[in-house]
Amino acid sequence: TEEKLGFPIFNRNSNPLQLTECGQEYIRYIERMRALENEFDNYLNDLRGLKTGKLSIGSNSAFSSLVLPQIISDFNRLYPGVKVTLNEGNIYYLEEKLLSGDLDLVLDNHPMDEKIYRKELFSSEMLLLAVPKSAKIPPDLQKFALEHHDVLEGRQLLTQTYAVNIRDFMQNSFIALRHGNDTRIRMDMICEQSGFSPKIQLEVDQLTTAYNIVCSNMGITLVSDTLITHTAPVPGVVYYKLDSEQLYRHSYFYYKNSSYVTRAMREFIRTGTSSFARS
């Protein structure tokens, strides 16, 4: 390739090996050519009526394990010739893969740059404080605790359901997601608005991990009602509605503004929203 170009692609005097300026441009053009080839393949698949094709989806662990399997199953029944792959990771990994073209769609609740990505609403959810019954719970607040069946029935969404202040739980240790995650951002804002800094016992990457730790009687954490309603009841854990607007958020399907929106992408989004609404 270097002989054909007439310029070196790699700087062999560096350790580790690095691309030259020409090499960097060459790689960028190769990536653009690959993107155009993929776009044309998608166009042909649309013409064939989704009898063949592929679709790459990315999401966080909660959606990947609890929500997307059913959606993928529903989609496969409708379009068995389209191969769907699922990639799980944090928002930094997902956005990198979406930007590079390795992913067609990302389902997440973390806001993404609308100058680069388009979004379509998937669902709305509320964050609740998950607390082991063995934790330090002020006696006068215990009557406001919600059980698993209360969340299933949507009691957390009722205006008459009492919302407590997170400051009442400041003596407990928190299981937190790492900085940059949407749930962590909201937790920090809620605690700051209540006038205290939480005691962080552990930091983890995924909401499901934080919740499982709390279910093992260690610490308290914020958890989405989506995760609660899609998992088995945990007798030793209760949930509290908090007095904050930061607890309400939306999840979206994201895709690049510059991408060709394939029929497979459109149909997956449609299947996903209708499937989740029935669950």
Side-chain angles (χ1 to χ4, degrees):
T1 299
E2 290 183 327
E3 292 179 2
K4 183 178 177 180
L5 292 174
F7 293 95
I9 294 176
F10 296 102
N11 180 0
R12 292 175 172 79
N13 294 323
S14 63
N15 187 15
L17 199 66
Q18 293 182 344
L19 290 168
T20 62
E21 183 178 347
C22 178
Q24 292 173 0
E25 284 299 312
Y26 175 74
I27 295 299
R28 275 194 283 268
Y29 276 96
I30 291 295
E31 289 176 345
R32 286 166 62 184
M33 290 170 61
R34 187 183 67 171
L36 287 172
E37 289 176 356
N38 290 337
E39 188 173 307
F40 186 66
D41 286 342
N42 289 329
Y43 170 76
L44 292 177
N45 290 331
D46 283 358
L47 289 181
R48 298 185 185 111
L50 293 185
K51 293 179 181 178
T52 61
K54 56 185 179 179
L55 187 64
S56 183
I57 312 296
S59 191
N60 57 50
S61 66
F63 283 132
S64 293
S65 60
L66 304 174
V67 175
L68 281 169
Q70 183 60 55
I71 296 174
I72 293 173
S73 177
D74 291 345
F75 182 82
N76 280 341
R77 280 197 295 271
L78 293 170
Y79 308 104
V82 179
K83 180 182 179 182
V84 180
T85 57
L86 178 59
N87 290 263
E88 178 184 314
N90 60 35
I91 188 60
Y92 304 110
Y93 169 84
L94 296 174
E95 186 167 359
E96 178 184 338
K97 292 296 183 181
L98 185 59
L99 189 61
S100 68
D102 292 327
L103 292 176
D104 299 305
L105 291 170
V106 162
L107 175 60
D108 207 272
N109 45 46
H110 193 286
M112 295 175 67
D113 191 345
E114 294 184 27
K115 295 178 182 177
I116 303 174
Y117 307 101
R118 280 193 279 176
K119 64 181 182 181
E120 297 195 26
L121 180 65
F122 172 68
S123 67
S124 300
E125 62 184 6
M126 176 187 283
L127 294 173
L128 299 169
L129 190 66
V131 182
K133 290 181 180 179
S134 60
K136 301 171 185 175
I137 305 174
D140 58 329
L141 295 185
Q142 293 179 11
K143 60 184 176 183
F144 301 119
L146 299 174
E147 300 283 348
H148 189 273
H149 66 85
D150 294 319
V151 181
L152 279 177
E153 295 168 5
R155 279 194 56 197
Q156 70 277 15
L157 303 174
L158 302 178
T159 54
Q160 60 264 38
T161 298
Y162 186 78
V164 305
N165 193 306
I166 198 171
R167 186 180 178 88
D168 293 322
F169 297 86
M170 64 184 297
Q171 298 304 316
N172 293 275
S173 297
F174 283 73
I175 309 300
L177 273 68
R178 300 192 194 282
H179 288 287
N181 184 284
D182 183 74
T183 304
R184 176 59 182 272
I185 293 170
R186 291 171 185 269
M187 189 192 82
D188 288 344
M189 290 179 66
I190 294 166
C191 292
E192 182 180 352
Q193 290 167 359
S194 297
F196 79 101
S197 296
K199 295 185 294 184
I200 306 298
Q201 185 172 1
L202 278 176
E203 288 186 331
V204 296
D205 288 315
Q206 299 287 356
L207 191 62
T208 49
T209 305
Y211 182 52
N212 287 333
I213 292 171
V214 171
C215 291
S216 299
N217 286 320
M218 187 168 69
I220 65 177
T221 196
L222 288 181
V223 62
S224 68
D225 55 4
T226 300
L227 194 157
I228 297 168
T229 56
H230 283 78
T231 53
V234 182
V237 175
V238 291
Y239 311 94
Y240 287 89
K241 179 179 180 179
L242 296 176
D243 182 18
S244 173
E245 291 299 315
Q246 296 296 328
L247 278 303
Y248 301 88
R249 69 182 180 189
H250 303 296
S251 300
Y252 296 93
F253 282 108
Y254 289 97
Y255 51 92
K256 284 200 301 184
N257 274 326
S258 57
S259 294
Y260 174 74
V261 182
T262 67
R263 183 181 171 192
M265 291 165 64
R266 293 194 300 270
E267 287 300 308
F268 191 88
I269 293 171
R270 184 193 62 79
T271 302
T273 51
S274 61
S275 176
F276 187 78
R278 295 193 304 268
S279 65

